Amino acid sequence: MVRKRVPDWLNSSLWSATPADDRLNRYSPSPTTASGAFSESTLQPPAPVAPPPAAAAASKPQSTPTPKSETRDPVNQNSDTNSGGNDQNGGSSGASPDDISRQAQLLSELSKKVMNMWELRRIASQGFPDGAGIRSTVWKLLLGYLPPERGQWSSELAKKRSQYSHFKEELLMNPSEITRRLGKSVTCDNDESKSESRGLLSRSQITHGEHPLSLGKSSVWNQFFQDSEIIEQIDRDVMRTHPDMLFFSGDSQLAKSNQDALRNILIVFAKLNPGIRYVQGMNEILAPLFYVFKNDPDAEMAAAAEADTFFCFVELLSGFRDHFCQQLDNSIVGIRSTISRLSQLLKEHDEELWRHLEVTTKVNPQFYAFRWITLLLTQEFNFADSLHIWDTLLSDPEGPLETLLRVCCAMLILIRKRLLAGDFTSNLKLLQNYPSANIGHLLYVANKLRSQAIG
């Protein structure tokens, strides 16, 4: 067998260069193990990039942005003065001229009455700084939550937000409240009027199906107790979401409010999707969306972040939902099939590395790629770099999965020298604790893999 020659561009010293700043927010190898622990390093926001005045003014003509002095800094709130708040930049260092150029192009595109989605995806595909707070709008467009025609935004947003409010009212209601409301239609005699005025139903008013001890499938109480276990898991995971970020964790009113929003979204999703319900790790996929939308400098948009995040979360997860269904693990659409596609992709582009990992050292890709794929790389990079990578994932017109696999393959290629020199133990440790990486280089390699496949 003749092994494929490794392309010269993969052996460039550029890919093995250590980035200027160390990686932050070191995560544990596995979010599902009890022994995993997070570091307490703090993400430092880069200096926000000032957008061109004309483009910035045109990007959101129907609303007034929050004054700069009031911009929130949810990641680093140790100081009393909130400045430079939107830490949604595409990396942990200052923006490059290319980043600034892409930002200006995006602002120009967003100022149009009808967006050119192909152009928007092309510009956003390599990530961009968010000093002007544009990531929130771009992501909503890329996920199909906002229509390309700006004139339709107001009506679409109003309709969706009203729908989510209805979901919450119906699905988050305590059974006691449900039975109380049902009791309003029951005519009570004079002896029972006092109990009704206190919001309580007399024994005669409670039907068998509405009784807390009812085992009937249609009983709201029976369903409530069945949901309790899932809700407890959601509560635990929400409390563990980015414990090093004050936006998500801590005793502040902001953190508690944000935790409540995450909890509401996950419970509503679980109840509306009984085939999947809630799977541990969904909170990690939800967190970047909510963070970006909640930190929109447009106060009206930020206030509706919970509803907007819910629908974008549903849309994003629609392309990965089969990965969370255990019954489909061994099917053509299951997670094991997707991991096999990653293995095949590596074999096509770097057979030497593939052979060393899977044949010589027997590092099964499931040992590391399961988390990479199911959590969309949120645990492998610091939070700001994850947002940068998501710009690229969400920009793929065919959906984020294909780009995700190329990024995962590029991650292996970037550290090929260390992997080729390692054995089973050292390679597994390296892949479960991915080292610092230049995200621009990583996305460049992933894009080269796309062009090679097309060619």
Side-chain angles (χ1 to χ4, degrees):
M1 178 185 297
V2 179
R3 295 182 181 178
K4 290 186 178 180
R5 180 175 179 271
V6 179
D8 292 336
W9 62 271
L10 285 181
N11 286 321
S12 169
S13 60
L14 176 68
W15 312 127
S16 58
T18 303
D21 42 329
D22 294 334
R23 206 173 80 159
L24 306 172
N25 293 359
R26 180 70 265 170
Y27 290 101
S28 62
S30 174
T32 58
T33 59
S35 60
F38 293 84
S39 75
E40 297 182 357
S41 57
T42 305
L43 183 64
Q44 298 297 330
V49 180
S59 64
K60 291 180 181 289
Q62 298 178 339
S63 59
T64 303
T66 305
K68 190 170 184 180
S69 61
E70 298 178 5
T71 303
R72 292 174 298 278
D73 181 3
V75 179
N76 186 4
Q77 297 185 26
N78 294 326
S79 63
D80 295 330
T81 304
N82 292 331
S83 60
N86 284 333
D87 180 26
Q88 301 170 27
N89 299 274
S92 53
S93 60
S96 68
D98 287 342
D99 288 334
I100 298 174
S101 175
R102 279 194 294 272
Q103 183 192 54
Q105 292 177 61
L106 284 171
L107 287 169
S108 176
E109 191 63 41
L110 292 175
S111 68
K112 298 179 180 178
K113 290 184 178 180
V114 179
M115 319 294 162
N116 182 332
M117 291 305 299
W118 183 90
E119 183 66 9
L120 193 72
R121 292 181 185 280
R122 183 193 67 79
I123 300 169
S125 63
Q126 288 301 305
F128 51 90
D130 195 37
I134 58 177
R135 182 172 274 121
S136 174
T137 303
V138 171
W139 279 16
K140 289 171 186 174
L141 285 163
L142 295 177
L143 286 166
Y145 181 60
L146 286 178
E149 187 174 344
R150 176 182 288 276
Q152 298 178 2
W153 288 7
S154 180
S155 59
E156 286 295 315
L157 289 175
K159 181 174 67 175
K160 290 294 187 181
R161 291 166 181 173
S162 174
Q163 186 178 3
Y164 179 70
S165 179
H166 177 73
F167 286 155
K168 287 179 65 177
E169 183 178 359
E170 293 296 319
L171 300 175
L172 301 182
M173 190 185 302
N174 188 287
S176 296
E177 177 65 14
I178 296 176
T179 54
R180 189 189 70 81
R181 293 190 179 188
L182 290 173
K184 284 186 176 181
S185 60
V186 179
T187 302
C188 303
D189 57 32
N190 294 333
D191 293 337
E192 298 170 340
S193 60
K194 292 183 179 180
S195 63
E196 182 181 16
S197 66
R198 296 195 303 270
L200 304 175
L201 295 179
S202 67
R203 183 183 299 273
S204 63
Q205 290 176 259
I206 304 176
T207 65
H208 178 71
E210 297 162 8
H211 195 281
L213 298 182
S214 172
L215 298 178
K217 291 184 178 180
S218 61
S219 167
V220 293
W221 280 100
N222 185 35
Q223 187 62 48
F224 172 77
F225 291 129
Q226 288 182 7
D227 292 340
S228 295
E229 184 176 349
I230 292 176
I231 294 174
E232 288 176 3
Q233 180 64 61
I234 290 174
D235 286 339
R236 287 193 295 269
D237 288 353
V238 165
M239 293 297 293
R240 289 195 292 251
T241 302
H242 295 291
D244 50 352
M245 292 177 62
L246 298 181
F247 180 84
F248 293 108
S249 182
D251 296 328
S252 69
Q253 186 59 42
L254 172 67
K256 293 183 181 301
S257 174
N258 293 337
Q259 289 172 356
D260 287 343
L262 296 182
R263 180 181 185 273
N264 292 341
I265 293 170
L266 292 171
I267 294 175
V268 170
F269 177 86
K271 291 190 174 185
L272 290 177
N273 294 272
I276 300 179
R277 308 285 277 175
Y278 171 77
V279 178
Q280 190 173 21
M282 286 183 176
N283 60 304
E284 301 294 350
I285 300 177
L286 177 63
L289 291 171
F290 182 73
Y291 176 84
V292 168
F293 297 161
K294 187 66 175 178
N295 283 286
D296 192 318
D298 182 325
E300 181 181 350
M301 289 292 187
E306 183 179 326
D308 295 346
T309 301
F310 170 78
F311 287 103
C312 288
F313 176 69
V314 171
E315 183 61 32
L316 176 60
L317 219 60
S318 66
F320 299 96
R321 59 179 294 146
D322 294 334
H323 292 165
F324 290 95
C325 187
Q326 189 173 3
Q327 292 82 355
L328 297 176
D329 279 356
N330 297 314
S331 71
I332 194 173
V333 295
I335 183 61
R336 290 197 176 113
S337 176
T338 300
I339 292 174
S340 295
R341 290 174 58 192
L342 172 59
S343 175
Q344 184 62 32
L345 189 64
L346 178 63
K347 185 178 181 180
E348 291 174 2
H349 292 284
D350 193 340
E351 186 170 352
E352 180 184 9
L353 179 57
W354 169 84
R355 185 173 300 279
H356 180 75
L357 284 176
E358 299 192 27
V359 179
T360 304
T361 62
K362 300 188 183 305
V363 177
N364 189 315
Q366 290 191 41
F367 297 158
Y368 59 90
F370 182 89
R371 188 184 70 187
W372 290 10
I373 293 171
T374 56
L375 300 187
L376 308 189
L377 300 176
T378 57
Q379 304 296 281
E380 315 314 317
F381 302 94
N382 69 55
F383 194 77
D385 284 345
S386 295
L387 300 185
H388 191 159
I389 293 172
W390 275 36
D391 292 336
T392 300
L393 298 183
L394 301 182
S395 297
D396 194 326
E398 298 178 358
L401 181 57
E402 296 304 317
T403 297
L404 176 64
L405 291 178
R406 283 191 293 270
V407 173
C408 290
C409 186
M411 290 169 64
L412 296 169
I413 291 173
L414 285 184
I415 56 173
R416 67 184 311 272
K417 290 182 180 179
R418 294 176 63 178
L419 291 172
L420 289 173
D423 57 12
F424 172 85
T425 302
S426 62
N427 283 346
L428 186 59
K429 182 178 180 180
L430 179 62
L431 292 170
Q432 289 187 340
N433 297 271
Y434 196 80
S436 299
N438 184 305
I439 300 303
H441 295 172
L442 174 63
L443 297 178
Y444 174 81
V445 175
N447 192 52
K448 289 284 286 188
L449 299 181
R450 176 202 291 270
S451 61
Q452 285 189 343
I454 295 175

